[in-house]
Amino acid sequence: MKYFIVALFMTLGVFLLSLDTTAVPLSTDQLCGKIGSEFVHAIESADTIKALKLLPKHHKTKEEKQGYNVIPSEREMDEALVRAVKSCILNDEHYYFDMTKKCEFVPEIGFIISGDKEYTVYASYCAKQLKFIDGSHEIIIDCDPMGPLMEKTFERAVRS
Amino acid sequence: MKKIFLALFLSATSLFGGDFYGIIVAETEVENIGHHVFFDAMRMNRQMGKIAKNLGREFKQIMFYDDDLVADEIIQQIDSLELKHDDIVFFYFSGHGQQAVEHPDDPWPLMKLGGRQAINLSTVTMKLLEKNPRLVVAMADCCNHALSIDPVELYFAFPKGEIIDDCEKELIQVNTQKLFHDHSGLIMASSSKAGEPSWSGMMGSFYTLYWIQALYHELREQDTAWEMIFERTTQRLEDKQHPQYLIIPSNEDARLTLDVLKN
């Protein structure tokens, strides 16, 4: 009877885990094809991600990074938020890979993923695009299918 | 006999019909879409050359691309154009764009020129209209803001090698005359309405591709009209992108209309 109850709880535990909607989905080939599997792996395996708030050029700030003004209030996100951000980024369904908008990319928020080396992801809410930066290699991908999820999730990372 | 008449007609328009100016501003070095814009510029340049040839007018080509994209120089060059009353000017832009924020009522886009420079489509159009040419065609393929849409499936229907018989050649020439020589005033278009984006893919910008296709088909119809070209283009874009156009047959009315937008 004791073993039966333990087995029942274990089964229940596995079932509840499978209901965890914040679990990070596997990245698909298309995103790997665009930004490289190392970049995707770095995001997948990151324990912490630093968020950066960015402002347009006319805002005077102490630090400039990648040509944008960066508010130097970097902070680490908690585990749940890291998972949520990963869920947004690591999903082929969230992107258009075969077309792009003809508007300027103006980043509003950034994420730094540190591992063997540093990777950066910038997001533009108005253009609905993400910019992936791996050293000198940069690529912009349209993420319209992400809808309001992007701003809702990403803003949690910089909101105090 | 018909052919001789057409040849005489064409040479007459060439003698008295002024020149055909093709002004292309292409943000070919721009981030993300530079190579799409390059295709657009090459295609439009070819189309403009064909139009000028079919009109029997000298093609005066002015291109700004790569490092030439300096707003002051573009405006200066446009200002220094000496247009005759019977000239036709076709202005085309491909690149990044956004809503003309400083004039909220202006439905036409602000064309980005790399860096922090930009020019309004309505400003360039007004400058060209002020020179009183016979017809100004002004077109911009760029975003006019941002909006969520689904992908557009591209359909490439261009014949690889164009085989044109004499009848078709005549039809194309007559239709080109109808579109350009028989019109005056302003034909203005942009690839998206205010508040909406424009899209491009590996082969170029969707609006430009479909517009060229529409022109190709319309020039082969028994009767043709500017409205049909723009409507065909809109139809091909389905509901994924919403272009806009304006046709005003008088230069003076066109200037008044553009002036109202900025006040």
Side-chain angles (χ1 to χ4, degrees), chain B residues 94-141:
Chain B
S94 181
H96 281 161
Q98 66 177 71
Q99 209 164 356
V101 279
E102 72 273 40
H103 304 294
D105 293 332
D106 188 350
W108 305 103
L110 181 71
M111 305 174 291
K112 307 300 276 286
L113 301 171
R116 313 312 298 172
Q117 296 199 340
I119 315 178
N120 282 312
L121 176 63
S122 43
T123 304
V124 171
T125 308
M126 183 63 114
K127 282 191 171 293
L128 292 170
L129 284 168
E130 282 166 358
K131 293 183 174 291
N132 272 310
R134 176 184 187 81
L135 174 69
V136 173
V137 182
M139 188 187 289
D141 191 337

Side-chain angles (χ1 to χ4, degrees), chain B residues 149-191:
Chain B
I149 62 164
D150 294 317
V152 180
E153 266 184 41
L154 272 181
Y155 167 66
F156 298 99
F158 296 113
K160 280 184 180 171
E162 269 189 80
I163 301 162
I164 303 174
D165 61 31
D166 286 347
C167 280
E168 196 179 33
K169 199 174 176 182
E170 277 181 34
L171 187 64
I172 290 168
Q173 284 175 333
V174 168
N175 279 338
T176 309
Q177 295 287 338
K178 273 185 196 167
L179 288 174
F180 289 88
H181 191 264
D182 296 355
H183 269 85
S184 56
L186 171 68
I187 314 281
M188 195 171 183
S190 73
S191 54

Side-chain angles (χ1 to χ4, degrees), chain B residues 22-248:
Chain B
I23 306 171
I24 294 178
V25 179
E27 229 188 346
T28 50
E29 293 293 300
V30 73
E31 181 179 40
N32 210 32
I33 57 162
H35 53 293
H36 306 169
V37 170
F38 176 79
F39 286 136
D40 294 341
M42 294 303 113
R43 282 199 185 97
M44 283 307 287
N45 187 43
R46 189 161 168 255
Q47 287 302 319
M48 286 179 181
K50 281 186 190 174
I51 291 166
K53 192 180 169 191
N54 284 321
L55 288 171
R57 288 169 182 247
E58 190 182 337
F59 179 32
K60 295 198 168 170
Q61 177 202 52
I62 302 166
M63 273 187 100
F64 297 94
Y65 59 100
D66 291 350
D67 299 329
D68 295 338
L69 290 181
V70 180
D72 288 346
E73 283 176 21
I74 294 171
I75 292 293
Q76 204 180 342
Q77 180 103 19
I78 288 170
D79 281 341
S80 68
L81 277 179
E82 287 178 11
L83 298 180
K84 298 186 293 292
H85 184 63
D86 220 10
D87 285 342
I88 293 172
V89 187
F90 193 145
F91 174 87
Y92 170 81
F93 170 81
S94 181
H96 281 161
Q98 66 177 71
Q99 209 164 356
V101 279
E102 72 273 40
H103 304 294
D105 293 332
D106 188 350
W108 305 103
L110 181 71
M111 305 174 291
K112 307 300 276 286
L113 301 171
R116 313 312 298 172
Q117 296 199 340
I119 315 178
N120 282 312
L121 176 63
S122 43
T123 304
V124 171
T125 308
M126 183 63 114
K127 282 191 171 293
L128 292 170
L129 284 168
E130 282 166 358
K131 293 183 174 291
N132 272 310
R134 176 184 187 81
L135 174 69
V136 173
V137 182
M139 188 187 289
D141 191 337
C142 59
C143 274
N144 204 348
H145 203 254
L147 187 78
S148 173
I149 62 164
D150 294 317
V152 180
E153 266 184 41
L154 272 181
Y155 167 66
F156 298 99
F158 296 113
K160 280 184 180 171
E162 269 189 80
I163 301 162
I164 303 174
D165 61 31
D166 286 347
C167 280
E168 196 179 33
K169 199 174 176 182
E170 277 181 34
L171 187 64
I172 290 168
Q173 284 175 333
V174 168
N175 279 338
T176 309
Q177 295 287 338
K178 273 185 196 167
L179 288 174
F180 289 88
H181 191 264
D182 296 355
H183 269 85
S184 56
L186 171 68
I187 314 281
M188 195 171 183
S190 73
S191 54
S192 49
K193 289 180 179 165
E196 298 189 11
S198 294
W199 294 81
S200 66
M202 285 305 288
M203 298 301 289
S205 301
F206 299 153
Y207 179 79
T208 298
L209 281 164
Y210 291 149
W211 188 86
I212 291 172
Q213 277 183 7
L215 179 70
Y216 177 91
H217 289 295
E218 272 303 302
L219 290 178
R220 285 155 180 82
E221 293 290 339
Q222 284 310 312
D223 201 10
T224 189
W226 277 106
E227 289 88 342
M228 287 306 296
I229 296 170
F230 292 120
E231 290 303 328
R232 264 183 196 267
T233 311
T234 305
Q235 210 173 14
R236 291 304 316 279
L237 287 162
E238 297 175 338
D239 202 28
K240 312 297 193 294
Q241 191 172 315
H242 306 104
Q244 58 183 350
Y245 68 91
L246 178 70
I247 298 172
I248 302 177

Side-chain angles (χ1 to χ4, degrees), chain A residues 82-101:
Chain A
V82 168
R83 274 206 307 273
V85 169
K86 285 183 186 181
S87 303
C88 283
I89 298 173
L90 298 175
N91 188 350
D92 272 2
E93 300 287 312
H94 286 168
Y95 301 100
Y96 291 146
F97 292 104
D98 56 349
M99 56 189 261
T100 187
K101 276 187 276 316

